Amino acid sequence: MASAENKQTASPMALIVAEVARTLRIQRGWTQEQLGHELGYSAAAVSAMETCAQPASDAMLVELERVLGNGTAVFESARRFMRMERYPLQFQDYALLEQAAVSLQLFATNVIHGLFQTEAYARALIGGGCPPLSDQRVEELVQLRMERKALFDREPVPMIEIIIDESVLHRVIGDEEIMRDQLLHPAQCAGRRNVTLLVLPLDAGKYGEYAGDRGSMNLVETPAHEHLVYLEPQDESMLISDPAKVSTYAQRYAMIRSQALGPRESLDLIERLAGVAV
């Protein structure tokens, strides 16, 4: 809903979109009503976009590109960045890295990694968090999380490996039905040639060595073949680029991997927990 508060809190990209759209409209000699007619929106909606009382939605950006873009893809590019701005602040930088990554090596210790969550699981998880969020914000974050899955079908495809601590598979989020579907989803993702799924079993430390005690981590290889580590403890974010530190995390990840079940054994365990005969 348009509001004066939105004008004060509009993101930098929303402000840029508003200014570019207004400038291009004026260059064409159009009123807000005329632009609205071309876009399929009311003059009031155009006015709200231009003043940032109601920043352009994803759907409006598509129409702005069609009507005013003139082949520049300026509004199409804005869609990407405005989508990123809707993420929690601590996640925004990583979200861009994730979508461009050449490879990802992921270790999940508390819940299923966001890239591998079903919509129902994500909704139960985000909706049940602390502090509580409004229903509107919960739905926005759920849809943003689902949109991240476009990474799986990107060209060129990234190589993705995920190691899930077995405790995550036993932690029910939502209800039993939601959890059963969630257990099967990573297994389905592992059917892709670019995805490897491993499980770190509960008894991984029984012989005196356990490398997974320091929590989740994301190892990222960028298109420039830089290697980074992303951590997100308690809603804080750490993006680590120092080569010596990255090397330490990579060695720890390799040790976790060596203690995990193999791909086939991991899938068998997940399917058993989901109640699927193997």
Side-chain angles (χ1 to χ4, degrees):
M1 181 178 294
S3 70
E5 182 181 357
N6 288 345
K7 296 180 183 180
Q8 302 301 318
T9 61
S11 70
M13 186 53 60
L15 292 168
I16 291 172
V17 166
E19 182 63 23
V20 171
R22 187 182 70 84
T23 299
L24 292 175
R25 173 180 65 77
I26 291 172
Q27 285 179 352
R28 295 198 179 195
W30 287 353
T31 65
Q32 291 178 339
E33 184 175 6
Q34 287 172 314
L35 176 57
H37 176 76
E38 296 293 329
L39 296 174
Y41 286 84
S42 66
V46 172
S47 175
M49 177 271 294
E50 291 186 355
T51 62
C52 288
Q54 181 60 55
S57 66
D58 195 71
M60 180 181 277
L61 287 167
V62 171
E63 295 307 310
L64 284 167
E65 180 62 37
R66 178 181 62 82
V67 174
L68 296 178
N70 197 30
T72 63
V74 60
F75 295 106
E76 183 62 31
S77 297
R79 288 179 68 199
R80 176 188 176 204
F81 290 103
M82 287 187 73
R83 187 178 299 120
M84 293 301 167
E85 288 177 339
R86 299 202 303 273
Y87 283 115
L89 183 61
Q90 77 274 8
F91 188 75
Q92 290 176 9
D93 289 342
Y94 175 73
L96 288 169
L97 289 170
E98 181 183 76
Q99 290 302 305
V102 171
S103 68
L104 294 169
Q105 293 176 298
L106 314 168
F107 177 47
T109 60
N110 297 318
V111 296
I112 298 292
H113 190 279
L115 277 177
F116 291 83
Q117 291 177 9
T118 65
E119 184 170 336
Y121 181 97
R123 183 172 290 107
L125 183 65
I126 295 170
C130 182
L133 302 174
S134 68
D135 291 345
Q136 179 180 354
R137 182 57 173 160
V138 168
E139 288 305 311
E140 180 178 46
L141 290 174
V142 169
Q143 293 310 310
L144 286 170
R145 188 161 294 181
M146 295 302 102
E147 289 171 9
R148 289 166 60 193
K149 295 174 182 289
L151 177 65
F152 288 109
D153 298 309
R154 192 200 69 199
E155 290 291 343
V157 295
M159 298 303 296
I160 303 174
E161 179 177 85
I162 181 168
I163 305 174
I164 303 176
D165 192 284
E166 186 183 343
S167 62
V168 174
L169 306 177
H170 293 274
R171 180 171 295 111
V172 177
I173 302 294
D175 58 35
E176 299 292 345
E177 183 178 354
I178 288 173
M179 199 63 204
R180 180 181 182 279
D181 291 342
Q182 177 58 79
L183 288 173
L184 293 175
H185 182 65
Q188 292 166 355
C189 292
R192 296 170 178 265
R193 295 174 61 190
N194 62 318
V195 177
T196 301
L197 170 64
L198 305 173
V199 174
L200 183 66
L202 289 174
D203 63 358
K206 72 178 181 180
Y207 299 113
E209 294 184 356
Y210 177 63
D213 62 317
R214 302 191 188 185
S216 301
M217 69 173 96
N218 296 352
L219 277 61
V220 183
E221 182 182 3
T222 73
H225 303 294
E226 298 173 303
H227 292 269
L228 308 170
V229 177
Y230 177 73
L231 309 174
E232 197 175 71
Q234 293 291 333
D235 292 334
E236 300 297 329
S237 63
M238 298 173 61
L239 189 59
I240 300 169
S241 59
D242 178 78
K245 292 182 179 180
V246 171
S247 177
T248 296
Y249 280 100
Q251 292 172 41
R252 186 174 298 148
Y253 181 90
M255 183 61 71
I256 294 168
R257 193 181 195 281
S258 73
Q259 295 172 355
L261 301 174
R264 185 62 259 171
E265 293 83 0
S266 296
L267 288 174
D268 286 348
L269 173 59
I270 290 174
E271 289 171 352
R272 284 198 303 273
L273 291 174
V276 176
V278 294

